[in-house]
Amino acid sequence: MRRAIHSTRASLVTLIAALALTACGGDEEPQQQQQSSEEKPPHKVAVAEVERQDLPIDQSYPSLLRSDNEVVVIARVDGALEERLFEPGQMVEQGDSLYTIEPDRYQATVNQRQADLQSARAEYARAQRDAERFEQLLRQNSVSRQQYDQAQADQRVAQASVAQAEAALSSANLDLDYADVTAPVGGMISLSQINLGNVVTSGTELATITPLDPLEVRFQLPQRDAFELRRQLRDSDTNSTIIARLSVPGLSGSDDAELAGELDFLGSRVDNGTSTVQASATFDNPDAAVLPGQFVRVRLDGLKRYSVIAVPEIAVTQGLMGPRVYTLDDEDKARERTVQLGDVAGPWQIIVDGLEEGERVIVGDPSGIEPGMAIDPQPFDGDADDIVEDVEEAEAREEREQAEEASDMAGGGMPTGEGEEGAQ
């Protein structure tokens, strides 16, 4: 009886062992199948060979807007301010009369100087006749040489008196002209700084005229931008493409937010303190959309970076060591590369250091890529805008799908009636 029980137990142990082995063998095969199924195919992404290129950049420079032709109207003669011929804030033209300063008094001075000139001319005519008469008498030995010399001297003195009277008349006419204060330039005139009836002297400030159209804006260019720009300006064909645009912060989106102009000056020296080069641009401002004193930014269209290495901006990510891109090795596997960034040129990111010509770099969407991952390189047509648009569309599509899933989960629960019926 014990033998039978032992034999039965032995058989059971053998059976259990056999089943265990069978089970183990069956587990290994699915596990191997699972491991083989986890080997993902190479990741498809756009890859480009690094090469140097010329890229237009979009740079803007801060400036405090001012009118370089702004002038202060000053009195140039002494006297009482009798009349003001403008309204503060109005637009005046060059040569318009603004004030009068005792014009009657200065007209009287002109009249007096004219009479003095007539008297001097009459005296000069008499002295000239005397000199001619004494010359004839000297030939006849009727007068002495001394008398003749005196007549000649009187003639020269009379001639000098005429010149002096003419100069005094010219000065009186100038004072009469200055008694009518006119606008030296056209523009918007300020409030009058002196009330009528007050006595002013030469040099007294009366008002300020600010030309608003056109506006000349001065700004500072970093020396790198100035050198690149000067390189472009050497070619007359590209000179016309350098367009300056003036934008006013706070007015973005409005019709008056931006003015178009042209670059008309680029300095010839670098400032030692700021390492910048002075430049200026002129902008038409017919509607006085912007005013001096405003903070503005000046942008130059057509400014380029020459012979630079660049990748689409979407290809640059942030790593532990700083900005990075992914390159491909000889086995088409992704390798992380830390780079130093330069300017942004539209959809392109200029790489200052970290990439060399001839290397293959991943220029498509780097999301999901890890070092060592197998890559199936796809051709890149050189249009960085298309890659950025594709990535943005994919992200927008993914956000919509996630929002739809969240909406379905929020509204996909069991209806209240069914829940209550099941509970019953």
Side-chain angles (χ1 to χ4, degrees), residues 14 19 74 85 99 115 152 174 180 253 284 306 311 338 345 350 411:
T14 303
L19 292 173
I74 63 173
L85 304 174
Y99 299 94
Q152 292 291 326
L174 282 177
D180 179 20
D284 291 331
Y306 289 92
V311 298
T338 301
I350 297 176

Side-chain angles (χ1 to χ4, degrees), residues 117-144:
L117 177 60
Q118 292 177 359
S119 176
R121 285 174 176 172
E123 181 64 24
Y124 172 66
R126 183 196 62 76
Q128 190 175 21
R129 290 193 300 269
D130 290 346
E132 292 174 355
R133 185 181 304 110
F134 272 85
E135 184 178 3
Q136 295 176 358
L137 294 175
L138 180 64
R139 292 173 184 172
Q140 300 172 2
N141 293 323
S142 299
V143 295
S144 66

Side-chain angles (χ1 to χ4, degrees), residues 195-342:
N195 294 328
L196 297 180
N198 284 291
V199 175
V200 297
T201 58
S202 179
T204 301
E205 296 184 1
L206 303 177
T208 301
I209 299 177
T210 304
L212 300 179
D213 182 29
L215 285 176
E216 182 182 3
V217 180
R218 297 181 182 181
F219 54 98
Q220 304 295 325
L221 285 173
Q223 57 180 343
R224 168 73 184 277
D225 293 352
F227 294 154
E228 297 286 7
L229 184 57
R230 186 170 293 281
R231 178 178 178 179
Q232 288 179 248
L233 293 176
R234 283 199 298 265
D235 185 358
S236 60
D237 294 336
T238 61
N239 189 17
S240 60
T241 64
I242 305 298
I243 302 299
R245 300 189 184 276
L246 184 146
S247 59
V248 183
L251 295 181
S252 57
S254 66
D255 295 338
D256 299 333
E258 187 173 85
L259 298 178
E262 59 182 8
L263 184 75
D264 54 14
F265 174 78
L266 180 62
S268 58
R269 63 183 300 274
V270 178
D271 187 272
N272 294 331
T274 60
S275 296
T276 58
V277 178
Q278 189 177 56
S280 71
T282 302
F283 299 89
D284 291 331
N285 187 33
D287 300 325
V290 293
L291 299 175
Q294 287 182 287
F295 176 80
V296 297
R297 299 193 70 87
V298 180
R299 189 176 75 253
L300 298 180
D301 293 346
L303 185 63
K304 290 183 179 180
R305 287 284 186 266
Y306 289 92
S307 187
V308 294
I309 292 176
V311 298
E313 192 176 6
I314 193 68
V316 180
T317 59
Q318 187 67 27
L320 294 177
M321 302 299 293
R324 66 180 180 182
V325 297
Y326 287 103
T327 59
L328 292 189
D329 59 14
D330 296 337
E331 298 178 355
D332 288 342
K333 291 186 177 180
R335 300 301 177 192
E336 181 179 333
R337 182 73 61 83
T338 301
V339 294
Q340 181 179 350
L341 305 182

Side-chain angles (χ1 to χ4, degrees), residues 13-25:
V13 170
T14 303
L15 179 60
I16 292 172
L19 292 173
L21 291 174
T22 303
C24 291

Side-chain angles (χ1 to χ4, degrees), residues 138 143-151:
L138 180 64
V143 295
S144 66
R145 184 73 184 184
Q146 182 179 4
Q147 291 175 315
Y148 170 75
D149 292 340
Q150 183 64 43

Side-chain angles (χ1 to χ4, degrees), residues 369-405:
I369 298 178
E370 297 179 356
M373 177 181 290
I375 300 297
D376 181 8
Q378 301 297 307
F380 174 55
D381 60 2
D383 194 339
D385 285 318
D386 287 346
I387 287 185
V388 174
E389 290 177 2
D390 292 342
V391 172
E392 291 178 349
E393 290 177 359
E395 291 178 350
R397 185 168 54 252
E398 183 178 356
E399 290 178 358
R400 287 195 301 269
E401 292 174 354
Q402 292 177 354
E404 291 174 358
E405 291 178 0

